[in-house]
């Protein structure tokens, strides 16, 4: 293609992209409007005052500094969970194990800080051990997939049951105080609490900047390291990765283990930053909601904080609406699911197609994922240029 042809093509592509964005924005606005109407109808069927219930759902997180802090804390946990899921999804694996890995990480961190002597910075030990426990728990299905050919969906889902019931059993048997009537540990020593920053009446935990930094680290690993390039290549095309001499099995188990590390870290953050003890139901389905957060962003780590904040807002608003309006929890869960379906129905499609088109070689070869310099080098080798 000549320079004049290139100049002629680019404006048409840019114009098409702008039109696609406008169409997508219009569809998104219409879909969200329809979602709000349907939500109002559902609230009218289940709440005495639908307008007040809808107001609580939409404005609840801003009604007090405590609720705002709760929203930001929940969003930080969703960021870590979403980053864990995006890590393994970008490598072409489909893991459902974040929920169990969160519990294992919380258990390791909690058991450590409950038995260690109190000293400044003991919370770092808990975070480290939680991440290590998550890594090992994620490594198990990774090795099973890489060397045994097992289905990672089945193995990770079954390991969630192992983690859930093992978590309750160990607390009940070894960590539950005699005075407690249900599986729960003692409160941690204050030295084991995750530090927080107070701005006026608002308390922001260290978990929020920590989670954002973790998303940036995952983005860097995926896009600008050799390890991340190999994981992306395996996720895009296993035959291509094998033909170029990449270590496919290593990429499979390492991606799942690193995903487990981040999820285990999320469990430690929840235990040390939110509950301050070990309790059954500690994760509150953060692991499964992380799958939704990752899918909302098409597994792009830098967009995960935005999606986590938005979805955390819906979760917190739903909890407040339930308490203030007496709406059954099932209705709130249905509303959350419907709103997310409405938002995801059309919005990302044009953008994803645009990005896929930019990354697909013109000659029809396989998509080469990974850092731009590595993609260019691989493309040059394959075409002989």
């Amino acid at each position: 293609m000549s320079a004049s042809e290139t100049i002629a093509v680019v404006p048409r592509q840019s114009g098409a992209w702008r039109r696609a964005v406008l169409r997508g924005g219009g569809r998104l606005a219409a879909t969200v409007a329809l979602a709000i109407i349907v939500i109002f109808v559902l609230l009218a069927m289940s709440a005495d005052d639908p307008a007040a219930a809808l107001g609580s759902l939409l404005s609840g997180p801003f009604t007090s500094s405590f609720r705002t802090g709760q929203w930001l804390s929940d969003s930080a946990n969703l960021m870590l969970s979403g980053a864990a899921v995006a890590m393994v999804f970008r490598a072409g694996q489909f893991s459902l194990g974040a929920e169990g890995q969160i519990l294992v990480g919380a258990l390791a961190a909690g058991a450590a800080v409950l038995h260690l002597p109190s000293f400044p910075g003991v919370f770092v030990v808990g975070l480290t051990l939680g991440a290590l426990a998550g890594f090992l728990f994620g490594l198990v299905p990774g090795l099973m997939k890489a060397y045994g050919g097992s289905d990672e969906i089945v193995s990770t889902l079954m390991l969630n049951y192992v983690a859930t019931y093992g978590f309750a059993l160990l607390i009940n048997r070894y960590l539950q105080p005699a005075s407690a009537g249900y599986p729960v540990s003692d409160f941690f020593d204050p030295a084991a609490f995750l530090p927080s920053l107070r701005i006026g009446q608002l308390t922001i935990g260290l978990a929020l900047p920590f989670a954002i930094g973790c998303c940036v680290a995952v983005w860097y690993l995926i896009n600008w390291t050799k390890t991340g390039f190999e994981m992306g290549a395996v996720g895009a095309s296993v035959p291509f990765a094998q033909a170029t001499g990449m270590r496919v099995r290593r990429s499979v188990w390492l991606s799942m283990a690193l995903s487990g590390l981040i999820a285990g870290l999320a469990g430690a953050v929840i235990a040390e930053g939110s509950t301050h003890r070990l309790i059954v139901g500690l994760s509150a389905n953060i692991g499964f909601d992380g799958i939704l957060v990752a899918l909302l962003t098409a597994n792009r780590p830098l967009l995960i904080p935005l999606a986590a904040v938005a979805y955390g807002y819906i979760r917190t608003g739903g909890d407040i609406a339930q308490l203030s309006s007496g709406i059954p929890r099932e209705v709130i869960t249905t509303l959350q699911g419907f709103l997310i379906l409405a938002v995801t129905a059309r919005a990302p499609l044009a953008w994803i197609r645009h990005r896929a088109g930019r990354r697909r070689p013109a000659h029809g070869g396989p998509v080469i994922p990974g850092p731009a310099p590595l993609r260019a080098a691989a493309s040059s080798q394959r075409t002989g240029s």
Side-chain angles (χ1 to χ4, degrees):
M1 179 180 292
S2 65
S4 60
E5 289 175 324
T6 302
I7 294 173
V9 168
V10 171
R12 288 199 296 270
Q13 291 178 338
S14 300
W17 167 236
R18 283 194 295 269
R19 288 191 296 273
V21 170
L22 291 175
R23 286 195 300 269
R27 293 191 189 104
L28 175 60
T31 306
V32 171
L34 177 62
I36 293 176
I37 293 173
V38 173
I39 287 173
F40 189 80
V41 171
L42 292 176
L43 289 176
M45 298 169 60
S46 57
D48 296 332
D49 189 348
L54 182 61
S56 297
L57 177 66
L58 298 179
S59 64
F62 288 112
T63 54
S64 71
S65 57
F66 172 77
R67 288 172 172 174
T68 302
Q70 180 185 2
W71 162 41
L72 296 178
S73 175
D74 201 29
S75 299
N77 299 334
L78 286 168
M79 289 178 203
L80 290 170
S81 177
V85 173
M87 166 69 73
V88 73
F89 279 10
R90 286 292 291 268
Q93 312 305 310
F94 196 90
S95 172
L96 300 176
E99 184 75 10
Q101 292 154 6
I102 286 173
L103 292 176
V104 169
L107 181 64
V113 300
L114 284 170
H115 291 90
L116 286 174
S118 177
F119 61 89
V122 67
F123 70 92
V124 177
V125 178
L127 293 177
T128 303
L129 292 178
L132 178 61
F135 179 91
L136 295 175
F137 205 68
L139 180 63
V140 173
L143 293 176
M144 291 171 62
K145 171 68 181 294
Y147 294 97
S150 64
D151 189 311
E152 71 272 23
I153 298 178
V154 175
S155 61
T156 53
L157 187 60
M158 292 300 102
L159 283 171
N160 282 339
Y161 287 98
V162 174
T164 300
Y165 292 110
F167 182 87
L169 174 65
L170 292 175
I171 292 178
N172 184 50
R173 183 67 61 87
Y174 300 107
L175 300 175
Q176 177 180 333
S179 58
Y182 58 96
V184 62
S185 74
D186 286 320
F187 279 99
F188 302 155
D189 187 272
F193 291 2
L194 208 61
S196 59
L197 176 65
R198 192 170 184 83
I199 304 175
Q201 298 296 319
L202 178 62
T203 300
I204 300 177
L206 182 64
L208 184 61
F210 184 75
I212 294 173
C214 185
C215 291
V216 174
V218 171
W219 166 81
Y220 181 83
L221 172 65
I222 291 174
N223 292 282
W224 297 101
T225 67
K226 180 181 177 181
T227 298
F229 172 66
E230 290 185 349
M231 289 181 184
V234 170
S237 174
V238 172
F240 172 76
Q242 291 174 332
T244 53
M246 295 182 187
R247 296 166 291 185
V248 174
R249 288 179 175 176
R250 177 181 178 274
S251 293
V252 170
W253 66 256
L254 182 60
S255 64
M256 298 190 73
L258 290 177
S259 174
L261 182 148
I262 301 171
L265 193 60
V269 166
I270 293 172
E272 296 185 347
S274 298
T275 62
H276 299 144
R277 60 177 176 172
L278 297 177
I279 183 171
V280 172
L282 168 144
S283 68
N285 288 327
I286 288 290
F288 292 116
D289 286 346
I291 298 175
L292 177 58
V293 170
L295 293 178
L296 278 170
T297 64
N299 302 318
R300 298 184 181 277
L302 291 184
L303 297 179
I304 284 176
L306 297 177
V309 167
Y311 188 58
Y313 188 92
I314 296 174
R315 280 172 53 106
T316 304
D319 291 340
I320 295 170
Q322 179 189 2
L323 293 174
S324 62
S325 303
I327 303 172
R329 180 63 192 173
E330 293 75 14
V331 174
I332 295 298
T333 304
T334 302
L335 294 180
Q336 290 174 345
F338 183 82
L339 186 57
I340 292 299
L341 285 174
V343 171
T344 57
R346 292 283 187 177
L349 295 182
W351 181 75
I352 292 173
R353 281 195 293 264
H354 170 70
R355 294 292 300 177
R358 286 180 58 187
R359 296 179 66 178
R360 186 171 300 279
H363 47 72
V367 175
I368 302 176
L374 292 176
R375 290 200 304 268
S379 180
S380 298
Q381 289 180 358
R382 189 157 46 80
T383 59
S385 57

